[in-house]
Amino acid sequence: MYLIKNAEVYSPESLGAMDVLIGGGQILKMGHDLPAQEAYGVEVIDGEGKVLMPGLIDAHVHILGGGGEGGAKTRTPEIMLSDITSGGVTTVVGCLGTDGCTRTMSNLLAKAKGLEEEGITTYVYTGSYQVPVRTLTGKIMDDIILLEKVVGTGEIAISDHRSSQPSKKEFARIVADTRVGGILSGKAGLVNIHMGDGENKLEFLRYVLKKTEVPASNMLPTHINRSRALMEDGIDYAKNLGGYIDLTTSSDPDFLDPDEVKASTGLKMALDQGVSEDHVTFSSDGQGSLPVFDSDGKFLGLGVGKVTSLYREMRDAVLTDGVGLTAALKAVTRNPATLLKLEKKGRIKEGADADLVLADKETLDINLVMAKGRVMVRDGQVLVKGTFE
Ligand code: FWO
Ligand code: ZN
């Protein structure tokens, strides 16, 4: 058990300085001047001068590795536990990307299971870029209903030269099946949609909202900040249609695209233009490839995404772009938790999972990361390592 004393709690709404008692993987009690029962094996952690936030949720991570756009040697490596926890992330949703052939759902599920055994919380989407969706059981709905870790479909690629180029109707069917699978299993039924650089931008999502009864909360388009034009379309989609948009925090320093919008800046832009702070999320695209192609579609090179970029962009939003801590935290905690229907995640309250990050109040430097009540990282030291680290 742990008692965190006197930290500024952001749930992510600011609750002021409080004590938080943790035991059995959960937040047991919150209050003022909670007695420190050290005799019962409670370790007291000093929270003075620190902020306590929910563990981050990264709803788009290529936990198995991805890529391959430059041939087999460019398939990116699997993630390791500390690549995730060192960035304050305690929940990930794993996905497949461009390659839905040599990367498989059974392999993805096994990797997600392994990370869960190592101490964090994991889910997956069924499918990859491809349409028809390559599922495990043969059907999107069956995967979601029968496989516990499957909470949706993705990342389905549209507006991209690597997409299967589905029709609007095919796309709507994928979203509909995912929604009903979610309803029947009490899960989110979220479609994570990979947006490329194509002219159509968010047109397919607008079609779904206009022509079907499916609500916007079943679709989360990602990489919205990959270009200025897409960012503007994303802002319009979120503001005028009540859509949700996801900004990718990884970028490759070797191939900085001048047209790309940094995620922290994109969040500021969206909020300034009237998008609700409940409608923007960040995800890292961690361990996926960040390939660059020329205008003729020729492969130029690729980098690898990092989960730690998620925390970096949240912090830059606060310290550089002037976004409030609550709004910045919502993009990496509460909002993904709500879209993924994870009621015990993305908030600090009694009964919630003890997924927590303690950070310096001024610099937001991470001090301690706890996942399901277990201290994973403390004072820059990774205390719980992955099996092969
Ligand atoms: C983005 C994942 C992209 C994989 O467009 O979608 O390729 O399969 O690992 N990455 N292709 C990266 C941009 C947002 C910079 C993926 C990747
Ligand atoms: Zn993608």
Side-chain angles (χ1 to χ4, degrees):
M1 294 173 81
Y2 296 94
L3 179 64
I4 304 177
K5 291 285 292 175
N6 235 3
E8 298 274 338
V9 177
Y10 282 81
S11 178
E13 296 84 6
S14 169
L15 301 180
M18 284 186 104
D19 296 348
V20 178
L21 180 69
I22 293 136
Q26 291 198 336
I27 296 171
L28 296 175
K29 202 165 174 52
M30 295 171 64
H32 299 281
D33 301 317
L34 295 186
Q37 305 276 9
E38 274 162 341
Y40 297 106
V42 180
E43 185 188 330
V44 177
I45 297 171
D46 184 12
E48 200 70 52
K50 301 197 175 83
V51 289
L52 186 67
M53 54 186 97
L56 274 59
I57 300 167
D58 194 339
H60 185 119
V61 184
H62 295 272
I63 54 177
L64 253 196
E69 284 101 334
K73 67 172 183 259
T74 64
R75 294 167 82 254
T76 59
E78 276 191 22
I79 205 160
M80 299 221 225
L81 181 68
S82 70
D83 296 328
I84 298 170
T85 53
S86 61
V89 173
T90 52
T91 302
V92 296
V93 187
C95 65
L96 302 182
T98 316
D99 182 355
C101 168
T102 77
R103 308 287 189 179
T104 64
M105 281 310 294
S106 46
N107 208 345
L108 181 69
L109 278 165
K111 179 70 189 179
K113 192 157 182 284
L115 288 168
E116 185 99 36
E117 287 172 3
E118 290 176 338
I120 61 165
T121 302
T122 61
Y123 297 96
V124 301
Y125 299 113
T126 186
S128 60
Y129 274 22
Q130 284 180 41
V131 175
V133 179
R134 289 178 80 146
T135 62
L136 190 71
T137 64
K139 291 202 174 75
I140 289 174
M141 254 192 237
D142 295 17
D143 272 22
I144 297 173
I145 296 167
L146 301 173
L147 306 172
E148 204 160 310
K149 283 201 181 295
V150 179
V151 290
T153 308
E155 55 169 323
I156 300 296
I158 58 170
S159 300
D160 193 295
H161 60 103
R162 294 158 294 172
S163 157
S164 299
Q165 313 300 347
S167 68
K168 285 180 185 167
K169 283 197 170 142
E170 279 176 286
F171 178 72
R173 171 66 64 88
I174 291 166
V175 180
D177 286 352
T178 304
R179 171 173 171 76
V180 176
I183 288 172
L184 292 176
S185 60
K187 291 190 276 189
L190 182 67
V191 186
N192 196 221
I193 302 146
H194 162 102
M195 300 302 309
D197 284 318
E199 277 290 298
N200 285 339
K201 302 189 198 73
L202 292 158
E203 200 183 306
F204 277 41
L205 285 83
R206 288 196 171 81
Y207 171 86
V208 171
L209 294 184
K210 214 155 139 194
K211 300 282 184 189
T212 79
E213 299 74 27
V214 174
S217 56
N218 287 105
M219 297 185 285
L220 186 59
T222 187
H223 315 319
I224 291 296
N225 56 322
R226 72 183 302 145
S227 71
R228 251 162 215 284
L230 186 59
M231 187 72 220
E232 275 160 29
D233 200 40
I235 289 173
D236 177 75
Y237 171 74
K239 201 173 128 181
N240 299 319
L241 294 174
Y244 294 82
I245 53 173
D246 184 62
L247 312 185
T248 299
T249 56
S250 285
S251 58
D252 184 356
D254 291 336
F255 293 99
L256 265 191
D257 185 341
D259 196 35
E260 197 176 308
V261 181
K262 190 173 147 62
S264 64
T265 312
L267 174 60
K268 175 72 174 157
M269 275 169 68
L271 297 178
D272 282 352
Q273 289 182 48
V275 172
S276 157
E277 63 182 34
D278 299 331
H279 282 241
V280 186
T281 61
F282 282 0
S283 66
S284 71
D285 207 4
Q287 225 59 28
S289 65
L290 313 167
V292 181
F293 299 87
D294 69 12
S295 56
D296 207 30
K298 184 172 166 276
F299 173 76
L300 299 177
L302 99 187
V304 181
K306 283 199 166 58
V307 168
T308 49
S309 65
L310 193 72
Y311 192 87
R312 181 195 68 208
E313 292 300 309
M314 181 282 292
R315 174 201 201 158
D316 286 355
V318 177
L319 299 180
T320 315
D321 296 275
V323 175
L325 184 54
T326 296
L329 280 175
K330 276 189 173 180
V332 293
T333 61
R334 179 71 58 78
N335 298 349
T338 303
L339 283 167
L340 292 164
K341 284 206 166 54
L342 306 177
E343 266 140 40
K344 296 192 165 194
K345 305 288 186 191
R347 67 207 69 216
I348 301 181
K349 67 165 193 201
E350 289 173 6
D353 287 344
D355 292 344
L356 298 163
V357 176
L358 192 65
D360 185 274
K361 209 163 150 176
E362 307 300 327
T363 62
L364 295 181
D365 282 344
I366 294 179
N367 198 250
L368 180 139
V369 180
M370 191 180 277
K372 290 188 268 192
R374 190 159 161 226
V375 178
M376 309 297 278
V377 175
R378 194 167 189 173
D379 301 323
Q381 290 269 100
V382 175
L383 299 185
V384 179
K385 294 207 170 93
T387 311
F388 298 106
E389 294 192 78

